[in-house]
Amino acid sequence: MKIISVFRSARKDEMYLYVDKREQLERVPEALLEMFGQAEHVMDMPLKADRKLARVKDTQKLLDEVGEKGYYLQMPPQKEEYMLDLFRDRPETGVR
């Protein structure tokens, strides 16, 4: 079991970094931190491989990457096709 700290990106909606609580962001590459933006601490949690997380399919992979690389990056979910076309036919004038 590891204690994991979770950080939310201020720049990208629904993007999260999982890191070892003891190390925090010290092993995360500088280029990734630049792309990630301001890291906002969300929570700390104990984590074992058999625990289910909402958007992480393989918790063991998360733990392995935190151990090897120092972080696990959770990307935002894919947007549904119908959401991308929501405003395609929107009129130029009128209420916005």
Side-chain angles (χ1 to χ4, degrees):
M1 178 173 62
K2 260 187 192 188
I3 306 295
I4 299 292
S5 290
V6 183
F7 291 88
R8 171 182 34 227
S9 171
R11 188 171 292 158
K12 294 253 188 195
D13 194 31
E14 298 188 59
M15 181 182 282
Y16 294 90
L17 267 175
Y18 295 77
V19 297
D20 189 312
K21 181 177 173 28
R22 293 172 294 176
E23 297 174 344
Q24 294 296 300
L25 299 170
E26 62 189 42
R27 289 181 55 198
V28 179
E30 194 63 39
L32 176 56
L33 288 175
E34 273 185 40
M35 185 265 313
F36 193 75
Q38 179 66 36
E40 300 171 1
H41 184 260
V42 177
M43 70 175 140
D44 297 322
M45 65 179 166
L47 191 60
K48 294 194 298 186
D50 60 351
R51 182 170 178 181
K52 302 282 186 211
L53 298 175
R55 292 214 175 119
V56 177
K57 292 181 182 181
D58 187 356
T59 309
Q60 184 60 53
K61 180 180 178 187
L62 183 153
L63 290 169
D64 291 344
E65 287 194 20
V66 167
E68 294 168 15
K69 298 190 308 187
Y71 67 93
Y72 175 83
L73 179 64
Q74 177 184 313
M75 297 297 288
Q78 291 287 330
K79 300 287 186 205
E80 296 293 330
E81 192 66 33
Y82 75 92
M83 293 298 285
L84 298 175
D85 294 335
L86 192 59
F87 298 110
R88 176 179 286 170
D89 298 324
R90 190 173 181 177
E92 295 280 329
T93 60
V95 178
R96 292 186 181 252

